[in-house]
Amino acid sequence: MLRRLFSTPLWIRTFAGMVLGVIAGLLLGQNAETWLGPIGDVYLNLIRMVVAPLVLFTIASSIAKLGEGVGAVRLAVRTIVWFAITSLLAVLVGFAVAHIINPGMGLSDLPLGTVREREIPTPLEVLIGIVPTNPFAALSEGKVLQIIFFSALVGAALVALGDRAQGVRRLVDEGAAVVFRITRWVIQLTPFGVFGLIASVVGGYGWEALLPLGKFIIAIYVACLFHILIVYSGLLKLHGLKVISFFRGAFAAMQTAFATSSSLGTLPVTLRQTVERLGVPQAYAAFAVPLGASVKMDGCGAIYPAIAAIFIAQYFKIDLSLTQYVLIGLTAVLGSLGTAGVPGTSIVMLTLTLATAGLPLEGIGYIVAIDRIIDMMRTMTNVTGQMLVPVLVAKEEKILNEDIYDGRVAWLPGDPEAETPDAVKASGI
């Protein structure tokens, strides 16, 4: 029975968990948070448990391998350029949808929620903060950008030392294999975690909290779906890639992102799907995906601030000038890089955007109550983009395994965790 269950593709099991979670949330109401919420919390803790070691070993291993093959600097530059391009497109989508739906028109006397003040670091503080004073503290606190920086130094040192560091290189590679194995075990629990998380969210929100801001919620969901299904699909088509193959490979991570509302929490699933189902070489994906989980925020950092800024302007009956639109767009494109690693990215980005455009910051209090509902869709958009960009760059660099991408081959040759079709089939991923 268990073998039959785990032989079912992950996305089907996860979808079943989502559907059952919605049903359980509707039936149990507020009790779902108490009874089923802990299931989701345990799953999130397991996922967070593997993030730091996963980033440490995979980044160090990938930099060491990239140093011997395709130029790491060129790949990094291409990746960041595509991050910026897709973010700009996301901002434009947000502007268009907001002006079609007009989410702030006709509203008045909305209840104010409590907004916790967050300190927005300057770009210089962000740059300084990337360098850890204690790499072990960065690992224990889960500061991903600092872990990436330290891991990249370890990988560069392995390249510089060459044969003298073969023992350490083997240790790093074997460490990555061990963490991948643990990650695969944790990923098997995704349907159960999704069930608990979705049930908790559905049970915890009443219609009275959603109805006043229904147009705003619809605007976010429509913009994010348009960006994923139309913009991303168009970019795949322009690169000569099958759209259905991408979404088939990305769907499990998209579902997990929707349920967890956390790019970093989804990182282990995102990385495995990008490598094993989308055909991006592990050496490159292990660098690009963790970086994307920290700075690539099409949903939280681009679409959401654009729509929220227009919503707040409409609510307060403020006519936005062309200069304000430009400032909102620039802040949305560059802001994710400037606030990388800061907790609560969406609120930080919105605060930064409103302050830059000269819009009233108290407007944030009107939409904070439904943040979790829209955060699920924003995060799914973030994670989809974090998988898309490595696929596009790998295609441009001619290092994408299109047999894996198109599903003709279901495993990654050379990966000790997935050397045979039977091994992958048995994993259920």
Side-chain angles (χ1 to χ4, degrees):
M1 180 68 178
L2 280 176
R3 181 175 293 181
R4 191 172 183 181
L5 173 67
F6 285 106
S7 65
T8 306
L10 180 64
W11 73 268
I12 295 177
R13 286 181 279 143
T14 304
F15 184 75
M18 291 179 71
V19 172
L20 292 173
V22 170
I23 294 171
L26 292 173
L27 292 176
L28 296 175
Q30 294 287 343
N31 290 326
E33 289 186 280
T34 305
W35 296 348
L36 301 178
I39 298 173
D41 293 338
V42 169
Y43 171 72
L44 284 178
N45 287 343
L46 286 169
I47 285 286
R48 289 166 181 153
M49 174 187 73
V50 298
V51 167
L54 185 67
V55 173
L56 174 65
F57 285 112
T58 56
I59 289 282
S61 178
S62 72
I63 295 296
K65 290 171 182 174
L66 288 174
E68 300 169 346
V70 178
V73 174
R74 188 171 73 251
L75 280 173
V77 170
R78 274 185 182 267
T79 302
I80 292 170
V81 167
W82 271 112
F83 282 174
I85 291 171
T86 49
S87 292
L88 177 59
L89 294 173
V91 172
L92 297 176
V93 168
F95 282 157
V97 171
H99 278 294
I100 291 170
I101 295 179
N102 292 317
M105 293 286 195
L107 294 177
S108 62
D109 301 323
L110 289 176
L112 270 173
T114 304
V115 182
R116 185 162 60 90
E117 235 180 274
R118 298 180 186 273
E119 187 179 339
I120 301 176
T122 65
L124 182 59
E125 289 172 334
V126 172
L127 285 174
I128 293 172
I130 291 174
V131 182
T133 55
N134 183 340
F136 299 102
L139 284 166
S140 66
E141 295 168 12
K143 295 182 176 178
V144 174
L145 281 180
Q146 292 188 357
I147 299 171
I148 290 174
F149 182 85
F150 177 71
S151 303
L153 286 180
V154 172
L158 291 175
V159 174
L161 290 170
D163 292 339
R164 292 168 58 193
Q166 281 303 318
V168 178
R169 179 173 294 197
R170 190 161 53 249
L171 176 64
V172 169
D173 289 341
E174 290 171 357
V178 169
V179 176
F180 276 131
R181 171 55 71 179
I182 295 171
T183 300
R184 184 170 279 124
W185 289 339
V186 172
I187 289 172
Q188 297 304 320
L189 301 175
T190 298
F192 302 102
V194 165
F195 168 75
L197 291 165
I198 291 294
S200 178
V201 170
V202 171
Y205 276 88
W207 288 110
E208 63 277 3
L210 304 181
L211 286 178
L213 291 166
K215 286 172 69 178
F216 180 73
I217 296 171
I218 290 170
I220 295 292
Y221 273 68
V222 168
C224 287
L225 285 172
F226 184 90
H227 193 60
I228 291 171
L229 298 177
I230 305 301
V231 176
Y232 287 166
S233 296
L235 292 174
L236 289 166
K237 284 282 190 183
L238 287 174
H239 283 75
L241 295 168
K242 293 180 182 176
V243 173
I244 191 69
S245 296
F246 174 79
F247 287 109
R248 182 178 57 215
F251 197 51
M254 292 168 67
Q255 290 172 312
T256 306
F258 187 83
T260 62
S261 299
S262 171
S263 293
L264 289 176
T266 311
L267 176 58
V269 186
T270 309
L271 183 55
R272 294 308 293 175
Q273 296 300 113
T274 304
V275 173
E276 292 188 355
R277 288 294 173 267
L278 296 177
V280 178
Q282 187 170 299
Y284 167 53
F287 160 77
V289 174
L291 181 64
S294 296
V295 304
K296 173 63 176 162
M297 305 287 173
D298 283 359
C300 291
I303 290 174
Y304 173 63
I307 293 178
I310 291 175
F311 166 84
I312 290 169
Q314 290 176 344
Y315 184 79
F316 286 100
K317 296 179 174 55
I318 298 170
D319 291 326
L320 292 173
S321 66
L322 178 60
T323 302
Q324 286 175 305
Y325 280 110
V326 172
L327 288 173
I328 292 168
L330 284 175
T331 306
V333 172
L334 302 176
S336 292
L337 295 173
T339 58
V342 180
T345 301
S346 60
I347 297 298
V348 172
M349 279 298 305
L350 182 53
T351 303
L352 189 63
T353 303
L354 295 179
T356 304
L359 294 171
L361 295 180
E362 58 266 30
I364 299 173
Y366 294 113
I367 55 179
V368 73
I370 44 90
D371 192 66
R372 180 61 196 271
I373 291 293
I374 56 179
D375 198 24
M376 296 190 294
M377 193 67 208
R378 292 185 316 220
T379 306
M380 189 173 84
T381 308
N382 295 344
V383 168
T384 309
Q386 291 157 18
M387 291 182 283
L388 174 86
V389 168
V391 167
L392 299 182
V393 174
K395 173 67 174 179
E396 291 174 350
E397 291 285 343
K398 298 181 173 55
I399 57 174
L400 182 70
N401 189 324
E402 294 191 47
D403 287 331
I404 295 174
Y405 179 87
D406 289 327
R408 292 189 293 270
V409 177
W411 73 99
L412 183 67
D415 182 347
E417 286 297 300
E419 287 185 342
T420 66
D422 291 337
V424 171
K425 194 177 292 183
S427 76
I429 297 177

